[in-house]
Amino acid sequence: MGSMKLGSKPDAFTRRGQAWFCTTGLPSDVVVEVGDMSFHLHKFPLLSKSAIMGRLIEENSDRDECIIKLSNIPGGAKSFELVARFCYGLKIELSSENVVYLRCAAEHLEMTEETSGDNLINQTETFFNQVVLRSWKDSLEALQTCDGLLPHAEDLHIVKRCIESLAGKASIDPDLFGWPVSEHSAMQSPGGSVLWNGISTGAKVRNCSSDWWYDDASSLSFPTYKRLISAMESRGIKQEIIAGSLTYYAKKFLPGLNRRQSTGPMPLTAATLSDEEQRHLLEEIDRMLPLQKSLISTNVLLWLLRTAMILKVDRACISNLEKRVGMQLDEATLEDLLLPNFSYTMDTLYNVECMHRILDHFMAMDQTTGGASPCLDDVMASPSLAPITAVAKLIDGYLAEIAPDINLKPLKFQSLAAALPEYARPLDDGLYRAIDVYLKSHPTLPEAEREQLCRLIDCQKLSLEACTHAAQNERLPLRVVVQVLFFEQLQLRTSVAGCLLVSDNLEASSRTLRSGNGGAMMATSGEAGSWATVAVRENQALRVGMDSMRLRLMELERECSDMRQDIQKLGRGRYRRHHRRGAGVDKDGGGWAARVQRMLTPKMMKLQMCSAQQDAAAPAGEQQQQQLVMSEQHKRVEKLHQAKVAKHKKQLCMDNDDDDDA
């Protein structure tokens, strides 16, 4: 830290309680009162340096005791003590900590060159320009002292000059020189080596990153810090550096310091501010943050959003933070998205409405950047679709996390799940898991609402593992289970057709080899032919099994139709109340059978028309496993059918008992 000594006389000031005395051997003839402190001094040293003191002494000269009150001197008693020492020619040391106090006090007391040569204004101004403004640390300390000297420091342009000095030094790229501009204690060469007595030692100093000034700037009051950032932006400093400094400042002064921040220097503790001050600070930081995407990490933005909800800041600030998160939602993590509900008007555990708004902002941005509906084959291959597929995975995970909340309404759950387009999910396994968790946590959910939720699932986009789980899931509606079984059979049919195509190609190639190569290749072709014969036999057996499955499904449809007719016959002789109940059973029984028939009939036709010319191919060694899978599925259908029949029989018995009672 730079300093300069003024005066040469030894100290002759003594403090006694709330009073200062000048022990020069002469009795004091003037008392200067500054606040609670009184200074017993002499008239001549004061009026010889200060025009203001000369006029005040003259005004009080006719009184028995000359008492002068200085109530508005900048810096109070601390500043006047240094001024009095200067007037007496005593030793004082100018530094970055007191130069602003002395400069403002000297201006207030009119200690100009007209009053005395080389006066205090000239000396403090020279020290400030030649020493303080050349150093980052001294400029920072001088700027910090200006907060208690406003508006005097502002009128003298001290604040502006300090800010310009700091902004200029922070705008310099440290990589150009190899050392931070704030260091001035050690001499260094432009090449980065340390100088000793003007000679390079060859030792390289450590390179400094562009965030070297973050901690120093965060020590400033926010109005001063805001002016510093504005000056840096006017000098063209990079936006990511500005964003980093704002983030650092927010984490230092706002509660809830990021728990998972593990890299980079961070403040040890957050400064203590009132709720109103924190609210104002957060709103101002939101206005100052650059609008470019990815300048601030998504977890920091979500932390700011969480803090804004806790502090109940202005609605416009919360909306702006939600838009910022939505711009880069694909970079978020599931843990950060789980924003608790801090509102008393909503009864859900997590703020689902906020998550829905964030997703809407992301979808709006995706559409403006040229997002379209591609075919499913291009979803995984296109780099432009990577963000929306990542968001779909996040949303499915978010739905699975909030699903156990008993207060979460089905409509709200369904609305969030349906906000994404179909092409965003290459597979629906995550969505199926979330819906299954919701159904498990809400066992009393009506059947109609269960079916409404399950319509979100595209059974054709379920993996084999998900299909196996869904086929055995008792929480799913029967229609969904049958649909899953059908598409699983369709996949098996495609695989079998591929196996047939492979076997036909092998058989044709064996005939070609047998006719073209003669006796030398007969053994090899014979082995290939025998393998092809076995594959054909296994394929025929598998085809018979599939035909049996198709016939069994048709039998199920006929049995359901018969059940509907029986229910209709029983309901004809009942009362109106029983007739309505019978109509309900008819709706559950016959209507379900009709829906299954309407759903399966065109798909069965498609199944029969499936040709062996399809492109998909499966190894012939997997055919036995596929047969076992078909057998298991056949058993599942039998089990589901028996359960449905038992349910309707029980309903018929209950209806008959009601008739007897009537």
Side-chain angles (χ1 to χ4, degrees):
M1 180 179 68
S3 62
M4 184 176 68
K5 292 183 179 180
L6 301 179
S8 58
K9 297 180 181 179
D11 193 2
F13 272 60
T14 303
R15 180 173 179 177
R16 300 172 189 172
Q18 293 296 104
W20 282 93
F21 296 89
C22 182
T23 58
T24 58
L26 297 175
S28 64
D29 53 5
V30 62
V31 178
V32 181
E33 294 181 355
V34 183
D36 297 334
M37 191 70 66
S38 61
F39 295 84
H40 299 265
L41 306 174
H42 302 86
K43 296 179 180 179
F44 180 74
L46 297 178
L47 60 86
S48 64
K49 295 292 184 180
S50 169
I52 290 292
M53 292 302 297
R55 290 197 296 268
L56 292 175
I57 290 174
E58 184 178 357
E59 292 174 359
N60 293 273
S61 59
D62 55 346
R63 298 182 181 180
D64 296 337
E65 185 179 4
C66 184
I67 299 177
I68 299 174
K69 292 185 178 181
L70 295 177
S71 57
N72 56 352
I73 182 173
K78 179 181 178 181
S79 297
F80 187 76
E81 177 195 347
L82 296 175
V83 171
R85 291 176 183 272
F86 175 80
C87 292
Y88 279 85
L90 302 180
K91 291 182 179 179
I92 62 173
E93 185 174 353
L94 287 179
S95 66
S96 58
E97 297 177 352
N98 61 23
V99 65
V100 181
Y101 286 95
L102 285 171
R103 177 66 182 88
C104 294
E107 187 72 23
H108 179 75
L109 296 175
E110 297 183 7
M111 302 176 72
T112 61
E113 295 299 301
E114 289 78 6
T115 305
S116 175
D118 200 18
N119 211 338
L120 188 57
I121 290 179
N122 181 60
Q123 293 198 36
T124 52
E125 191 69 27
T126 301
F127 177 79
F128 183 78
N129 292 327
Q130 296 183 0
V131 178
V132 174
L133 294 182
R134 293 186 178 183
S135 167
W136 167 273
K137 185 177 181 180
D138 291 343
S139 299
L140 183 68
E141 291 179 350
L143 184 58
Q144 290 171 339
T145 62
C146 291
D147 290 337
L149 296 171
L150 298 176
H152 306 284
E154 194 71 61
D155 295 338
L156 297 174
H157 306 290
I158 296 177
V159 177
K160 180 180 179 181
R161 286 184 287 173
C162 288
I163 288 177
E164 291 296 330
S165 173
L166 294 175
K169 292 175 175 58
S171 302
I172 299 176
D173 190 352
D175 295 335
L176 296 176
F177 302 99
W179 75 90
V181 295
S182 62
E183 298 295 334
H184 55 268
S185 58
M187 296 179 62
Q188 300 164 348
S189 68
S193 60
V194 179
L195 296 180
W196 181 80
N197 199 19
I199 303 175
S200 175
T201 63
K204 296 293 183 179
V205 297
R206 184 178 59 183
N207 289 333
C208 183
S209 59
S210 57
D211 60 354
W212 59 268
W213 54 273
Y214 285 1
D215 189 56
D216 289 339
S218 66
S219 63
L220 299 171
S221 63
F222 185 73
T224 306
Y225 171 80
K226 184 178 179 180
R227 292 181 58 180
L228 176 62
I229 294 299
S230 178
M232 290 181 178
E233 289 179 332
S234 64
R235 290 178 175 268
I237 195 170
K238 296 179 180 178
Q239 290 294 303
E240 54 266 27
I241 299 177
I242 297 294
S245 177
L246 289 168
T247 302
Y248 192 99
Y249 197 95
K251 289 179 178 179
K252 185 174 182 178
F253 289 96
L254 292 176
L257 190 62
N258 197 352
R259 303 182 302 274
R260 295 171 297 281
Q261 192 75 23
S262 58
T263 59
M266 290 300 303
L268 297 179
T269 57
T272 303
L273 296 176
S274 65
D275 290 346
E276 183 62 29
E277 290 173 336
Q278 292 176 5
R279 192 178 301 113
H280 175 72
L281 174 62
L282 182 53
E283 292 173 356
E284 288 294 329
I285 287 179
D286 172 64
R287 296 188 187 100
M288 295 171 63
L289 286 174
L291 296 176
Q292 287 87 338
K293 179 183 177 182
S294 300
L295 289 182
I296 306 173
S297 62
T298 310
N299 69 325
V300 171
L301 289 175
L302 285 166
W303 165 71
L304 288 174
L305 179 58
R306 183 193 302 257
T307 306
M309 293 177 179
I310 295 174
L311 296 175
K312 294 180 173 57
V313 302
D314 184 72
R315 180 59 202 168
C317 177
I318 294 180
S319 178
N320 197 22
L321 289 173
E322 290 174 350
K323 291 179 182 178
R324 292 180 185 273
V325 175
M327 289 174 60
Q328 50 195 61
L329 181 58
D330 54 302
E331 302 173 5
T333 61
L334 178 58
E335 185 178 2
D336 295 322
L337 289 177
L338 295 173
L339 298 173
N341 188 4
F342 300 105
S343 175
Y344 295 104
T345 60
M346 294 181 289
D347 53 359
T348 55
L349 181 61
Y350 297 103
N351 197 334
V352 184
E353 288 84 357
C354 176
M355 186 66 244
H356 205 310
R357 290 192 297 268
I358 291 174
L359 181 59
D360 290 340
H361 291 314
F362 174 82
M363 294 304 303
M365 184 201 65
D366 183 70
Q367 293 176 1
T368 56
T369 54
S373 300
C375 60
L376 292 176
D377 295 337
D378 298 334
V379 170
M380 299 303 295
S382 176
S384 61
L385 295 176
I388 196 169
T389 53
V391 169
K393 185 177 180 181
L394 275 175
I395 295 301
D396 291 344
Y398 181 83
L399 291 170
E401 288 292 332
I402 66 174
D405 188 357
I406 60 175
N407 294 322
L408 181 61
K409 303 301 181 183
L411 184 60
K412 187 177 296 186
F413 182 91
Q414 181 182 355
S415 176
L416 183 59
L420 287 166
E422 294 183 1
Y423 65 87
R425 294 184 176 97
L427 291 175
D428 275 7
D429 289 11
L431 180 59
Y432 165 71
R433 174 178 174 271
I435 293 177
D436 184 46
V437 173
Y438 187 85
L439 295 179
K440 183 178 180 180
S441 303
H442 299 75
T444 60
L445 196 67
E447 188 72 15
E449 294 184 354
R450 289 175 178 266
E451 291 190 1
Q452 190 71 20
L453 285 177
C454 291
R455 287 194 184 99
L456 297 172
I457 305 173
D458 187 353
C459 297
Q460 300 183 70
K461 294 164 63 176
L462 292 178
S463 64
L464 183 59
E465 293 79 8
C467 286
T468 304
H469 186 277
Q472 301 174 351
N473 194 343
E474 298 179 355
R475 291 181 289 272
L476 297 180
L478 188 59
R479 180 190 65 82
V480 178
V481 176
V482 174
Q483 190 175 4
V484 169
L485 290 174
F486 171 78
F487 284 113
E488 193 174 7
Q489 286 288 341
L490 189 60
Q491 293 177 3
L492 290 175
R493 178 68 176 177
T494 303
S495 300
V496 170
C499 294
L500 292 175
L501 181 61
V502 171
S503 63
D504 292 341
N505 291 337
L506 288 175
E507 187 175 358
S509 62
S510 63
R511 287 196 299 268
T512 303
L513 291 173
R514 192 183 303 113
S515 61
N517 296 334
M521 301 297 295
M522 287 182 63
T524 303
S525 62
E527 293 177 0
S530 62
W531 181 88
T533 302
V534 173
V536 170
R537 291 175 181 174
E538 293 180 352
N539 289 335
Q540 291 176 351
L542 189 59
R543 185 179 301 171
V544 171
M546 293 184 65
D547 293 338
S548 176
M549 175 68 72
R550 183 171 65 254
L551 292 175
R552 183 56 184 156
L553 288 174
M554 295 174 64
E555 291 176 4
L556 286 175
E557 294 178 12
R558 286 195 298 269
E559 291 178 4
C560 289
S561 178
D562 295 340
M563 289 171 58
R564 180 183 58 183
Q565 295 176 3
D566 294 340
I567 293 171
Q568 291 175 349
K569 291 177 181 179
L570 288 173
R572 290 172 183 170
R574 299 176 183 176
Y575 294 101
R576 183 178 302 274
R577 178 174 57 85
H578 296 145
H579 177 72
R580 285 197 297 267
R581 184 182 304 170
V585 175
D586 178 69
K587 181 180 179 181
D588 292 338
W592 175 85
R595 288 198 303 270
V596 173
Q597 185 175 6
R598 285 196 301 269
M599 178 185 68
L600 293 179
T601 300
K603 295 178 180 177
M604 284 300 179
M605 295 176 62
K606 180 180 179 181
L607 188 66
Q608 294 173 356
M609 295 172 63
C610 185
S611 174
Q613 304 299 325
Q614 297 179 6
D615 296 333
E622 297 181 0
Q623 295 173 10
Q624 294 181 355
Q625 182 178 359
Q626 294 172 349
Q627 290 179 350
L628 293 176
V629 172
M630 289 184 58
S631 177
E632 290 293 332
Q633 293 176 347
H634 186 79
K635 293 178 181 179
R636 293 179 207 157
V637 174
E638 287 284 356
K639 184 177 178 180
L640 292 171
H641 170 65
Q642 293 175 4
K644 192 71 176 179
V645 171
K647 178 179 178 181
H648 287 297
K649 286 182 177 180
K650 183 178 179 180
Q651 183 69 33
L652 290 174
C653 292
M654 293 175 62
D655 293 339
N656 289 331
D657 293 341
D658 293 341
D659 291 338
D660 295 339
D661 295 340

